[in-house]
Each structure stands twice: as C-alpha cells, then as structure tokens.
Amino acid sequence: MLRLLEAGCAWGLGAGGGVRGLLSGHLGHGVRPATALCDPGHSPSRRASDGPRNQPPSSEFVARPVGVCSMMRLPVQASPEGLDAAFVGVPLDIGTSNRPGARFGPRRIREESVLLRTANPSTGALPFQSLMVADLGDVNVNLYNLQDSCRLIQEAYQRIIAAGCIPLTLGGDHTITYPILQAMAKKHGPVGLLHVDAHTDTADKALGEKLYHGTPFRRCMDEGLLDCKRVVQIGIRGSSMTLDPYTYSRSKGFRVVLAEDCWMKSLVPLMGEVRQQMGGKPMYISFDIDSLDPAYAPGTGTPEIAGLTPSQALEIIRGCQGLNVVGCDLVEVSPPYDPSGNTALLAANLLFEMLCVLPKVTTV
C-alpha cells in the first residue's frame, strides 16, 4: 500500500539511533524520535487512548534540521493501524494541464513543516494531546499511467479509512481527490464537500481524456460520490471560454462562491452558513493552493490573479471546527515555481489547521 523504501527506513534507524544517543532524556514526555516506527520491535496497534501519543519534537531540544524529513517530524510508519489521523503524500502530477511539478509537493511541504509546533493558540486546539498521529509516507503511484495511479490511490485510502484513520493528504495535483473520494464513499456513502479552489474542476474532458486535474468532481458526480446539497466551492475565479462557466456546478445544486464575493471581507459569516449546510453528516475538505492569490502562493500549476488571502484561508478551515470532517487534502503545490518555499510553508500551515479541526480534537 504505502511503501517506504527499505534504504530510507534503514537510514532512518541510523538517524533515530543517533538522536536517541545524543538527546536521550531531552525529547519530552510522549515524544519519540521521528524514526521510532521503523523499529521492527515497535507495535503500532495501540489507539491514542491506550498510552502516550506521538508529539512533534520541540526545537528547544531537537534542532529543526535534525531527523528524517516527515510531516512535522512525526514518526513515520507504514501501517495506519492504531492511528486516529495521518499525513499521507500522493506525489502525482501527470494529470496537470499547465505547469507540472506537484509530484514534488509532498516532499517540499514536509520540509517546510519543521516550523510547525504542537498547539494552536488562536483556536485553543491541542491535536497531539487528543489524537494519535503519524506520517504514513507516500502512496506508490504510477507516474506513467494516470488510471493505474488512481487505482493505487483508491486501494491505499480504502485501507487507511478501514483502519479508522482520518487521512490528511499532501498532493499532488487535484486528480488525486477523485480516487480518495471513491474510497471515502465506500465507508461513508456520498459525502459533503468543501472545495476551496480557483477552478470548479468540473470539466468533462480535455484532449479526449476524461480524467485529469480539471475533471475530478465531474467524475465524482458521475459515480454518486458527493451529496450535492452539501457541496460548496469557494474562491472560484479567472477567465473562461464561456460567460457562465459555473453552469454545471449550480445545475447540480452546488453553492459556488466567487472570489469577487470574498474580496475585502471576513469569511466568518460565510462559514457560519456553510456549517449549517454541512450539518453533522460526513464531509471532506479539498483545498487547492491556487485558491490563494499568487502573491501569497506562486508555486502552483494554474495560478489565477485576485484570489483569497491566507487569513481568509484560515477563516475557512477554522470555520469547519465541530463538523464531521472525515478527510482533507491540500493539492497543487509545485515547488519548481516556489523558489522561496513560501507556498509550501503556507500549505504546511493549512494542513496543520485541518488537523486542528478534526473531530475529537481537544480545544481549551
């Protein structure tokens, strides 16, 4: 399913051993080196309530460049068993229509995530005191076959979801959301969707192909994976081939919120309406980084001017607190177009915010 290269795991054991030797007694209660789960003697079958939970190490005791490059320097493990939530990379970009490079997104987001810490003072969320969380590595996609990659992604996520683990996905282009939602629907049935993006991604086909990053939600509708009355698309904008490019979405009952309707205002009131619309049923968050203005997130494949701001992105995600979130993704980070790393840094922070709004996360 999620294959960690043996060489990488062996290197991790060496690094972990070094961390234990140099920093023994300084990692804090419940904190293990990021490589501990490569240890053949470790059993990952415990639930969060059964013992100490994984904690990202503090930079007060472990220098940020130290250790294996995992999300928030969390332990890496190959199985979702015993986890409440997990970060999962899907390094796929062969569904892109413009600038490629999103296959490198998961790795770059992990690199920038070293700046993240364990608590969220703005919302009072303490995710690592509430949930057992780890990094499950990357889905072993087929970069030469998009259909086969979708099969591999669906199979991987079916196993994750069956284990009772909520996946937080590091993309990858937006094609990946389609097989993820296929897996979600097998357990939850049609789900609600909060889709934050510059584009509706409801095209039918391009160049004769019905599967690419512009069609995932059209394919989801074809298969009945979405609860149409609980689909909201926020941040939509850009030029088009027609004067009403939102016809399909609205004809299916989606709520489409244009970027122009978000300019110069707080989105807290909007999210109050979204919360009522979603109710208590399962819902999924799919966040395309191109929803943000390219001044903040230039490292993406299909940038559109006049987008959302980072503070509005926080309002959207934080507005999901208390909802029945069953999965999340952050897609379309393209590191070759992100020389400063700021797009990946923003993505890492948004994924942390998604973790903070998951069910059962303690807030104080």
Side-chain angles (χ1 to χ4, degrees), residues 90 92 94-95 139-158 173-183 186 210-213 215-216 219 223:
V90 185
L92 183 76
I94 59 174
V139 177
N140 188 26
V141 295
N142 182 348
L143 291 178
Y144 306 110
N145 187 319
L146 188 56
Q147 294 280 357
D148 189 46
S149 285
C150 286
R151 176 188 63 82
L152 293 165
I153 294 166
Q154 181 185 356
E155 291 176 356
Y157 276 77
Q158 282 179 208
D173 75 56
H174 222 152
T175 312
I176 70 173
T177 305
Y178 165 52
I180 294 173
L181 288 175
Q182 286 179 314
K186 287 184 180 293
K210 295 177 76 71
L211 186 60
Y212 77 108
H213 74 163
T215 64
R219 300 289 79 83
E223 298 182 20

Side-chain angles (χ1 to χ4, degrees), residues 73-276:
R73 297 192 291 173
L74 285 164
V76 177
Q77 68 181 63
S79 169
E81 295 298 328
L83 298 179
D84 298 303
F87 294 102
V88 188
V90 185
L92 183 76
D93 66 358
I94 59 174
T96 53
S97 59
N98 190 40
R99 305 195 305 203
R103 68 180 64 183
F104 304 114
R107 183 172 299 182
R108 193 72 176 97
I109 293 169
R110 287 182 173 110
E111 289 176 0
E112 295 297 336
S113 74
V114 298
L115 280 173
L116 296 172
R117 303 163 185 89
T118 58
N120 191 330
S122 298
T123 66
L126 296 166
F128 299 103
Q129 291 187 21
S130 314
L131 308 175
M132 180 65 89
V133 188
D135 188 326
L136 286 178
D138 295 331
V139 177
N140 188 26
V141 295
N142 182 348
L143 291 178
Y144 306 110
N145 187 319
L146 188 56
Q147 294 280 357
D148 189 46
S149 285
C150 286
R151 176 188 63 82
L152 293 165
I153 294 166
Q154 181 185 356
E155 291 176 356
Y157 276 77
Q158 282 179 208
R159 294 185 179 94
I160 295 169
I161 296 163
C165 176
I166 298 176
L168 300 104
T169 302
L170 293 64
D173 75 56
H174 222 152
T175 312
I176 70 173
T177 305
Y178 165 52
I180 294 173
L181 288 175
Q182 286 179 314
M184 288 285 169
K186 287 184 180 293
K187 178 173 182 178
H188 301 290
V191 296
L193 174 69
L194 177 60
H195 173 209
V196 190
D197 202 323
H199 315 95
T200 61
D201 291 350
T202 55
D204 186 34
K205 59 184 177 180
L207 303 176
E209 299 296 326
K210 295 177 76 71
L211 186 60
Y212 77 108
H213 74 163
T215 64
F217 302 114
R218 185 72 161 252
R219 300 289 79 83
C220 287
M221 287 300 301
D222 290 346
E223 298 182 20
L225 308 180
L226 299 177
D227 181 353
C228 301
K229 295 180 180 179
R230 297 191 304 122
V231 177
V232 180
Q233 299 181 305
I234 301 175
I236 310 301
R237 64 189 188 278
S239 56
S240 174
M241 299 303 294
T242 69
L243 289 177
D244 190 6
Y246 324 115
T247 300
Y248 177 84
S249 290
R250 287 172 171 159
S251 71
K252 297 299 181 181
F254 299 1
R255 180 176 182 180
V256 179
V257 181
L258 304 182
E260 291 96 316
D261 297 327
C262 301
W263 290 348
M264 309 298 180
K265 65 176 68 171
S266 168
L267 300 187
V268 171
L270 169 63
M271 289 309 299
E273 298 173 4
V274 171
R275 290 171 61 84
Q276 289 187 337

